[in-house]
């Protein structure tokens, strides 16, 4: 299913809305989650917390989004977190120079090319403004961070462009007060901000977006000394090495063939693969793509993008960066603080391997993979514990005590589950509306209910129906949320 | 227990950290949640979601924090969301004029007084700069919103100073796509930002903070036409009316005596009281204080602050504002959109009653009320489902197969619960460390465990111990999380 169908569903069924859409000065790249989108997002983050953070014994923090200037002096973002832009000398429109060139030449143009090289390429290709065909000025670097002035003195500060900087800056105190030992993952879910010149494709490139980042701190001398590696050594992943796709490579093979730099990286790629499998992505359409020199972020020594195939092509969901000791050493230098820690009896500046996940686009891709257009309905086959509504309560008719019985079922459920009470339209139409937003179960209350206290439980995927006792609804919903298939026979 | 003890606990036990603390240019008013604080915050928000949002059948959204200029032209924030400040002509320090005067005179000085009046008061009281005793300049208004420039054109935008503006702006689409009917609550949890001149008292006045806001939209002609009011008519609340405290006023009395403007307001105050009771506040030290004319926010027709008594005095946790049709009418006017909706067959611009909750300070106050200094320990008697760690797993000794058995218990638990595995120090010391962060249950694995598979379950509050079968741990933890007292006999 395509991007347009999914975005239509998002807009018309309460998943997403453009921010400030009633206003003429609404800005591109900012979106609001509606009620259903908000629930899916929260449930997705819970899954991340359960299957990555807690499973691996990580610590999770939640840092301030506004950070002081020196953080970004140290991290390199003030100098290096820039996009090359060109301004049309005729109409004044601003464009990303690398993107224009990429579209014009069909070749990959890394965003980190020197501006002189970009100017040269613009000259050679005779590139003009795509809006008005006017001549383009010189390329220049545009910093993607949003600046804020704090207090009466208007002190420099910035909205963080990635959540991980909070983790690096908090690392010394965390290591001490949480009594941590290497290797240790520190995780964070939260907002990041990038002043993109040309946000595009709805939720795929936003100016304000959710990240879930994991920074694994380890002693670089012990990157191959990881007991839990053994648990995942047979997990397979798909690797794209400079255009060559290796399907179903075992974690241990990836390490032994030196496709990945060490056991620790192999382990976390395998763990991430398992996570997305549980989240319901079609893993046959996934790959870890090793990035070439000019594609990597400025802080990464080795990098793998976890990508998934969609109607928009391959989409990056997680940047897996081996950041070495770059960040901690830089913060130590600029702050003047000692950021090394004890590993056994030796002081080390830990190295960092990072899993930097885009939440909004992960949700988009999971929805697209789960969406099916069947002859008589649209249905989103989300895994039950990601669905925005767990169960619909549907009175067959609005008379004869059936709504009253339905409310008696609905009321105690509503604080424990995401329940939707729907009494309008035919039952068939109500099923369709709930199928379309991915609700795994519907309960219909009918005349038989009044006699024997049984209700109809209808399955989203198979559309099968069974009758259950009304006092069995909670245990049944718990089973459905745990992923048990009650409709097999 | 006092503020300093709580802040020490927060800093030294992984609840909170000043943002960017390793840097000399770290700015006041920005904090990071550490692992334990993050979990308590998430659990508190879950409770809010369960006991207010879902219980009342509300919709919850999650909007962009950056919003366009016209939103705040309409809302009045560009003009009216200002603090009166004065600058010292000698040392250049900037101060809040109202606060200085309040401290100097001991009298309430509303922040909305005209600047001329403030200048007059400064003159009359002979007020000088508190830092250097220099002369103060003229008072002026300082807007508390943070401005951002978006895109290459540097378009005006602002970090929202309150989450509710997203709700107002999204209301037309939400009402349609979610097929809503009045009265309906729309809720949001998220960050807001205020460029305070003098952030103070740690987490009590922040520049970046979490709010959970609820906006109840209703037909103003039907504010006394609310079935669910009957469910809470006997719930008691404490009302402070112009300095007179009425303890234990029934919701129905508050309405009938016209202390509150209508049944809808009475109902939501009672619901909020129940929520904080469940969250573990000592409700005898709470009150709804009706605000006088100059204390109210510029958009409020009637306002009650939910306040709680702490070592810092009375602290406002929730602003309950009857905003009338002010916001929707203003957005309709500035956007040119029709924002009225159908109620039955009549078009109305809904009125709004708001519960605007400060999350960070709610958590502080809950912690302070739960904190006890007992002769041989500090203990935080948080309700179990708000605790940062639900259960500690403690091997009695680190030999003889006891750590192995402990890990066998720990591993399957760790994805489902917040579990802490602790093997260092005496068991007594490990209990104390977990008491101090509010962990309700500890499980100790000892030699008897190896023989009969029972473990010791130790209760935080009573310090009693019982033995349970190790295969009963999950059901036991579920009971503890539901608030059952297993140690009564």
């Amino acid at each position: 299913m395509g991007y347009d169908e999914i975005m239509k569903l998002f807009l018309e069924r309460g998943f997403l809305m453009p921010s400030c859409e009633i206003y003429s000065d609404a800005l591109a790249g900012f979106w609001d989650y509606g009620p259903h989108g908000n629930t899916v997002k929260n449930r997705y983050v819970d899954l991340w917390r359960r299957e990555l953070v807690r499973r691996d014994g990580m610590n999770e923090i939640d840092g301030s989004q506004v950070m002081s200037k020196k953080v970004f002096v140290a991290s390199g973002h003030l100098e290096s977190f820039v996009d090359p832009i060109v301004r049309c000398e005729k109409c004044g429109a601003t464009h990303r120079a690398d993107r224009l060139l990429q579209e014009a030449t069909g070749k990959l143009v890394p965003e980190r090319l020197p501006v002189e090289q970009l100017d040269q390429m613009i000259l050679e290709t005779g590139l003009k403004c795509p809006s008005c065909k006017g001549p383009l000025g010189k390329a220049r670097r545009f910093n993607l961070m949003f600046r804020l002035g704090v207090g009466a003195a208007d002190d420099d500060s910035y909205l963080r462009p990635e959540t991980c900087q909070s983790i690096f800056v908090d690392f010394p105190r965390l290591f001490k007060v949480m009594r941590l030992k290497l290797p240790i993952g520190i995780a964070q879910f939260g907002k990041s901000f990038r002043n993109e010149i040309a946000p595009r494709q709805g939720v795929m490139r936003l100016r304000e977006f959710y990240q879930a980042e994991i920074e694994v701190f380890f002693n670089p001398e012990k990157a191959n000394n990881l007991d839990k590696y053994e648990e995942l050594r047979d997990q397979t992943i798909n690797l794209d090495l400079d255009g060559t796709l290796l399907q179903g490579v075992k974690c241990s093979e990836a390490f032994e063939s030196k496709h990945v730099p060490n056991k620790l990286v192999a382990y976390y790629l395998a763990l991430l693969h398992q996570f997305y499998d549980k989240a319901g992505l079609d893993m046959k359409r996934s790959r870890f793509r090793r990035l070439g020199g000019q594609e990597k972020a400025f802080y990464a020594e080795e990098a793998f993008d976890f990508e998934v195939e969609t109607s928009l092509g391959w989409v990056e969901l997680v940047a897996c960066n081996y950041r070495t000791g770059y960040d901690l050493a830089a913060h130590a230098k600029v702050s003047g603080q000692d950021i090394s820690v004890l590993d056994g009896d030796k002081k080390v500046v830990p190295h960092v391997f990072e899993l930097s996940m885009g939440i909004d686009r992960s949700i988009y891709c999971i929805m697209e993979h789960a969406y099916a257009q069947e002859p008589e309905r649209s249905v989103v086959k989300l895994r039950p514990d990601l669905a925005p509504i767990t169960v619909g309560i549907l009175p067959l008719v609005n008379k004869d005590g059936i709504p009253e019985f339905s409310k008696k079922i609905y009321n105690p459920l509503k604080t424990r589950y995401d329940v939707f009470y729907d009494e309008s339209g035919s039952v068939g139409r109500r099923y369709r509306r709930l199928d379309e937003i991915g609700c795994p179960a519907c309960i219909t209350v009918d005349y038989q209910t009044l006699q024997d206290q049984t209700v109809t439980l209808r399955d989203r995927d198979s559309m099968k129906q069974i009758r259950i006792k009304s006092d069995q609804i909670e245990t049944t919903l718990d089973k459905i949320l745990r992923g048990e298939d009650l409709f097999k026979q």
Side-chain angles (χ1 to χ4, degrees), chain A:
Chain A
M1 278 302 131
Y3 179 76
D4 293 340
E5 281 96 337
I6 305 289
M7 285 308 289
K8 187 165 182 286
L9 174 75
F10 281 175
L11 284 163
E12 294 181 358
R13 291 291 175 270
F15 284 82
L16 279 177
M17 301 159 282
S19 173
C20 309
E21 63 174 327
I22 63 170
Y23 281 105
S24 56
D25 67 342
L27 297 159
F30 299 99
W31 287 77
D32 294 355
Y33 280 101
H36 292 328
N38 182 53
T39 306
V40 174
K41 182 255 300 166
N42 289 343
R43 288 179 164 276
Y44 178 77
V45 174
D46 278 345
L47 188 71
W48 168 84
R49 192 166 280 140
R50 209 157 63 232
E51 294 295 339
L52 284 172
V53 178
R54 281 178 174 166
R55 179 176 169 191
D56 195 55
M58 298 176 184
N59 282 249
E60 184 189 342
I61 68 163
D62 180 11
S64 174
Q65 301 169 184
V66 177
M67 300 183 82
S68 72
K69 182 176 180 175
K70 285 189 179 168
V71 173
F72 303 108
V73 171
S75 73
H77 283 83
L78 262 178
E79 195 186 317
S80 306
F81 197 60
V82 289
D83 270 350
I85 62 172
V86 280
R87 193 162 175 277
C88 170
E89 293 180 340
K90 190 172 151 202
C91 74
T94 302
H95 309 279
R96 283 272 300 262
D98 54 333
R99 294 240 186 94
L100 281 194
L101 283 166
Q102 199 154 320
E103 281 157 22
T105 62
K107 279 185 271 182
L108 184 75
V109 178
E111 60 190 37
R112 296 176 58 207
L113 274 192
V115 285
E116 298 72 25
Q117 225 168 309
L118 293 168
D119 285 338
Q120 185 61 31
M121 287 176 75
I122 290 172
L123 202 69
E124 281 168 11
T125 54
L127 198 65
K128 299 287 173 199
C129 172
S131 316
C132 78
K133 306 291 163 207
L136 296 171
K138 291 273 182 203
R140 70 176 176 97
R141 301 205 164 277
F142 177 82
N143 198 297
L144 295 180
M145 288 197 296
F146 287 105
R147 183 197 170 274
L148 292 178
V150 174
D154 200 39
D155 287 320
D156 276 346
S157 65
Y158 295 88
L159 286 173
R160 62 184 180 192
E162 49 180 16
T163 58
C164 60
Q165 293 305 324
S166 320
I167 297 175
F168 298 137
V169 168
D170 290 344
F171 178 73
R173 179 184 286 271
L174 287 173
F175 199 83
K176 197 178 76 182
V177 301
M178 300 302 293
R179 303 188 291 136
L180 304 179
K181 282 181 193 153
L182 298 182
I184 183 71
I186 301 181
Q188 184 173 202
F189 161 71
K191 287 260 171 100
S192 291
F193 300 81
R194 296 180 185 176
N195 198 359
E196 300 282 350
I197 286 303
R200 51 174 188 175
Q201 288 172 337
V203 296
M204 303 309 274
R205 188 176 286 269
L206 297 169
R207 284 168 163 157
E208 172 178 338
F209 55 100
Y210 276 116
Q211 288 190 305
E213 291 197 303
I214 287 168
E215 310 296 314
V216 182
F217 296 84
F218 63 98
N219 182 339
E221 288 177 15
K222 297 184 181 170
N224 290 323
N225 187 354
L226 191 77
D227 291 344
K228 54 194 172 188
Y229 166 82
E230 296 304 324
E231 293 167 27
L232 297 189
R233 59 174 295 130
D234 292 333
Q235 173 64 47
T236 58
I237 57 177
N238 305 324
L239 274 175
D240 182 308
L241 306 173
D242 315 311
T244 306
L245 184 66
L246 307 178
Q247 290 261 25
V249 183
K250 279 188 187 170
C251 175
S252 54
E253 290 166 19
F255 167 66
E256 285 154 19
S257 310
K258 300 201 162 83
H259 299 323
V260 298
N262 54 49
K263 281 187 181 175
L264 187 133
V265 169
Y267 165 82
Y268 281 102
L269 297 188
L271 193 67
L272 188 66
H273 181 102
Q274 287 193 348
F275 165 77
Y276 273 112
D277 193 17
K278 286 175 187 155
L281 277 187
D282 175 5
M283 298 308 285
K284 292 190 297 297
R285 293 190 277 158
S286 79
R287 68 186 182 195
F288 287 97
R289 188 168 68 84
R290 191 167 67 190
L291 301 191
Q294 285 182 311
E295 274 188 289
K296 286 183 298 192
F298 61 87
Y299 43 69
E301 185 174 283
E302 286 221 43
F304 294 85
D305 277 355
F306 177 75
E307 298 181 330
V308 56
E309 200 179 13
T310 70
S311 61
L312 296 168
W314 287 91
V315 171
E316 174 204 337
L317 297 187
V318 188
C320 310
N321 293 310
Y322 181 18
R323 299 177 77 124
T324 69
Y326 174 86
D327 302 275
L328 290 183
H331 286 299
K333 192 174 159 205
V334 176
S335 70
Q337 308 278 327
D338 179 9
I339 291 185
S340 61
V341 297
L342 277 179
D343 184 43
D345 52 5
K346 214 179 143 190
K347 270 193 136 184
V348 291
V349 173
H351 275 205
V352 169
F353 182 63
E354 155 181 276
L355 301 177
S356 171
M357 180 185 291
I359 296 293
D360 316 282
R361 40 170 84 184
S362 287
I363 290 170
Y364 172 85
C365 293
I366 289 167
M367 287 289 289
E368 192 186 298
H369 279 199
Y371 187 82
Q373 188 64 56
E374 296 182 353
E376 80 263 42
R377 63 173 187 164
S378 306
V379 56
V380 181
K381 295 180 177 175
L382 281 177
R383 62 175 265 161
D385 64 357
L386 291 184
I389 298 290
T390 303
V391 61
I393 307 289
L394 317 178
L396 180 70
V397 292
N398 286 310
K399 55 181 184 181
D400 300 335
I402 287 181
E404 289 73 14
F405 199 102
S406 305
K407 287 275 181 187
K408 253 173 56 192
I409 292 176
Y410 169 68
N411 279 325
L413 291 182
K414 72 183 177 188
T415 56
R416 280 204 60 199
Y417 303 92
D418 289 296
V419 197
F420 189 72
Y421 187 88
D422 192 358
E423 57 184 17
S424 78
S426 72
V427 168
R429 223 175 115 196
R430 286 181 260 168
Y431 285 154
R432 296 289 175 273
R433 281 200 294 251
L434 287 162
D435 287 344
E436 200 180 10
I437 60 167
C439 172
C442 290
I443 281 170
T444 304
V445 176
D446 55 22
Y447 287 100
Q448 193 183 329
T449 311
L450 304 181
Q451 288 164 15
D452 65 6
Q453 277 80 52
T454 64
V455 294
T456 301
L457 175 73
R458 185 257 193 187
D459 177 44
R460 174 194 67 197
D461 295 353
S462 64
M463 295 191 275
K464 283 184 195 163
Q465 306 191 358
I466 54 176
R467 287 197 82 90
I468 60 169
K469 284 273 184 193
S470 63
D471 61 8
Q472 292 298 305
I473 292 175
E474 294 211 14
T475 37
T476 306
L477 291 178
D478 289 340
K479 284 181 191 167
I480 290 171
L481 283 170
R482 281 199 300 271
E484 290 182 32
D485 187 350
L486 307 176
F487 297 88
K488 252 184 204 152
Q489 297 93 348

